[in-house]
Amino acid sequence: MRPSLPASPGPSLTLKLGALQRLMDEGGLSAVFQPLVDLRNGTVYGHEALIRGPVGGPLHMPGVLFECASIESILMEFELKCVDVILTQWFEAGQSGTLFVNLSADALVRVAATVLPRMLASSGVDPRKLVIELTEHDRPTDPQALVRTVKALSATGVRLALDDFGDGHSNLRRWAELKPQFVKLDKFFTRDLAGNMESFEMVRAVVAMSEAFGTALVAEGIESGDDLRTLRDLGVAFGQGYFLGRPATPAVAVPLADAVDVLKDRRTVAVPVLSQLARPSILRNLTLLKAPAIAPGTTNEEVAAIFQEQPELHALAVVDHGRPVALVNRREFTDHYARLYFREVHGRKPCIGHANRTPRVIELDGDVSELMGILTSEDQRYLSEGFVVAEHGVYLGLGTGEQLVRAVTETRIEAARHANPLTFLPGNIPISVHIERLLASGIGFVAGYADLNDFKPFNDHYGYWRGDEVIRTVARLLVAHCNVRVDFVGHVGGDDFIVLFQGNDWEVKCRSVIDEFARQAVDLYDEADRLAGGIHAEDRHGAMRFFPCTTLCIGAVQIAPGTCRTVEDVATEAARAKHGAKAAATGLATYQASAYR
């Protein structure tokens, strides 16, 4: 990974002009090697060579070296010198494995046919063990020459990697044209990946692309065990970063111990959840009314004619230089126009005088909260006259109140499938996704179905507010007693929860949650009901009877590899376990999946 040049004057500017050239002539450059680890088996696959100057001197780090090379106008010469130093040092140290070396596109085109083969021959490095990392910070001067060069190199056994994909000038077109054997994913996407749903989804998409292109993906910048585990579970083939191994001389043969421990742990990392519900652009999914726009000076007679010719229009947008400034509501306008002498007095006057000068304008990429503002506004005329849709402030069309209600309702329903709005825990879709990943991993896990006993009478007796507090209490306890990195807690809906355990302590966790809930739940009852041990309420048949304080039960089923093939299989097993738990005196029932199959 080639360092980007500093944006402001750095240490190199304090050096005398020609300092780098003298350093190169005197043999002051050396290389360090950072391991690339195969995330599938935990072994070191290869090393990336990184250039260094004298330790402790101002020209030690590569950023300063490249800055000096640019100032001294010797970038190309410096790059070639780095490659020569790296190849020589690698061979003389007797290193084996794959070597990744950085080169800019223009430098590669210039040296591939002559200089690079001579360097490989003189250093003794096998071309089949060399990978050229094409740096992405500069566009190639001749893209077609680059494509031809890469094809020629491929014939010699030298392979190609695109560096820092997602940064600089990297793009899918270059990926498709050059057909690299490796693509290195920029650390922007991998940093704090385990807790970032957006990055998680982006990496998953890039993994799918790498599979389509037949390219091995390398994740750069791995600095934590959680991120490493997440990348492995997403199917990223190789990883690089300080958590796996730092640049060193000689090259290390094994990853750092903590990284080895993580890669040996085959538990599947839980999918990160959005801290706040995604804000979808729902207007793009609506069929907007392409209503004609009128100018502020359009007369009332002209507006009346438009409404008469187009009876489907509920309103007309008044637009000035492309931007909506007012809205003429059909019903209100028609009421005015039908009045005695209105046509004679106001017919040839501008329509802006009888328009709503404060229309509700919603951007096409606006989120659902903006539309919710229309529904909850005290001024309900926006619901009857609809709203104006714009893109970057420019008028596009109109939306109706009916569309608004339907869109918000559908969006809320869809959102609840992703994250429950009461507990903000993952909903049905993330639950299913995680179960699929667990089944695909080939490891055993435990599916726990948590449910409340006698919750409906409590909810009917005390009301939904206190009922919601009971559900939130269950959610807090489940999350608090689980390892959220490997134990997945999901909220199916109502008082039903799914917990997917991968550790051996799942039974202890279940009992702890059940016991802790029993202690906390009684505090949500009125004092008299606490003393009585419950409440009198109607049962499902309408008869009054006594219900003890609500308790939590968990049915846990152990899913051994091969016993379940689909999400539906797991859901069925968990539901059966829940029914058994409701009848259990302790509130916990455990089963083996094979008992049902």
Side-chain angles (χ1 to χ4, degrees), residues 50 168 371 572:
L50 304 166
L371 298 182
T572 300

Side-chain angles (χ1 to χ4, degrees), residues 88 207 217 222 518 554 595:
T88 301
V207 169
L217 201 62
I222 302 175
I554 301 177

Side-chain angles (χ1 to χ4, degrees), residues 55-315:
V55 176
L59 289 174
H60 176 59
M61 295 306 293
V64 179
L65 291 169
F66 274 95
E67 185 188 3
C68 270
S70 178
I71 293 170
E72 296 181 21
S73 300
I74 55 171
L75 266 175
M76 184 76 68
E77 182 181 353
F78 175 66
E79 284 196 72
L80 299 184
K81 184 64 175 180
C82 289
V83 174
D84 187 34
V85 168
I86 289 166
L87 294 177
T88 301
Q89 186 175 330
W90 180 260
F91 182 76
E92 290 179 349
Q95 302 285 0
S96 60
T98 302
L99 177 64
F100 289 70
V101 177
N102 291 279
L103 266 180
S104 66
D106 286 347
L108 180 60
V109 170
R110 191 174 208 179
V111 306
T114 56
V115 179
L116 185 59
R118 287 201 300 268
M119 286 183 176
L120 288 169
S122 62
S123 66
V125 173
D126 185 348
R128 294 170 298 179
K129 294 292 186 180
L130 179 65
V131 178
I132 298 296
E133 284 196 28
L134 198 61
T135 55
E136 290 290 303
H137 296 287
D138 301 299
R139 293 185 184 275
T141 303
D142 186 345
Q144 291 307 311
L146 177 62
V147 173
R148 293 192 296 270
T149 298
V150 169
K151 287 182 179 179
L153 272 179
S154 179
T156 69
V158 175
R159 290 173 289 172
L160 181 71
L162 286 187
D163 194 16
D164 297 331
F165 182 78
D167 188 22
H169 300 296
S170 60
N171 54 53
L172 288 176
R173 178 176 176 178
R174 181 177 290 190
W175 189 343
E177 288 179 341
L178 298 181
K179 298 178 174 57
Q181 286 76 27
F182 303 89
V183 165
K184 302 187 78 173
L185 188 62
D186 186 71
K187 61 185 178 182
F188 170 82
F189 298 103
T190 61
R191 187 185 297 115
D192 299 325
L193 174 67
N196 188 313
M197 187 62 171
E198 290 91 346
S199 295
F200 182 92
E201 292 298 338
M202 283 191 287
V203 172
R204 183 155 62 175
V206 178
V207 169
M209 287 189 293
S210 71
E211 292 172 349
F213 283 121
T215 306
L217 201 62
V218 182
E220 297 181 304
I222 302 175
E223 296 184 1
S224 74
D226 289 334
D227 289 341
L228 174 59
R229 185 181 288 109
T230 304
L231 289 162
R232 178 204 64 191
D233 291 348
L234 281 170
V236 176
F238 302 102
Q240 183 179 1
Y242 285 172
F243 188 77
L244 293 162
R246 289 178 174 269
T249 301
V252 298
V254 294
L256 293 175
D258 288 345
V260 173
D261 291 341
V262 169
L263 293 174
K264 285 182 178 178
D265 182 359
R266 302 313 299 176
R267 293 179 296 178
T268 300
V269 69
V271 178
V273 181
L274 289 171
S275 57
Q276 184 178 7
L277 193 60
R279 300 164 61 178
S281 170
I282 64 176
L283 291 181
R284 290 191 180 273
N285 299 322
L286 296 182
T287 303
L288 300 179
L289 184 61
K290 301 295 185 180
I294 57 177
T298 304
T299 67
N300 289 314
E301 286 182 347
E302 291 172 322
V303 171
I306 295 173
F307 278 138
Q308 186 174 3
E309 292 171 2
Q310 301 186 50
E312 74 281 2
L313 294 181
H314 67 281

Side-chain angles (χ1 to χ4, degrees), residues 43 53 62 155 243 287 320 489 572 594:
T43 61
F243 188 77
T287 303
D320 188 15
V489 182
T572 300
S594 57

Side-chain angles (χ1 to χ4, degrees), residues 543-583:
M544 293 294 295
R545 69 181 184 87
F546 181 78
F547 290 91
C549 292
T550 184
T551 56
L552 182 68
C553 68
I554 301 177
V557 57
Q558 299 177 64
I559 311 292
T563 56
C564 289
R565 292 175 296 177
T566 67
V567 173
E568 184 180 358
D569 291 342
V570 176
T572 300
E573 300 286 5
R576 289 172 175 168
K578 181 194 77 169
H579 291 306
K582 281 190 167 293

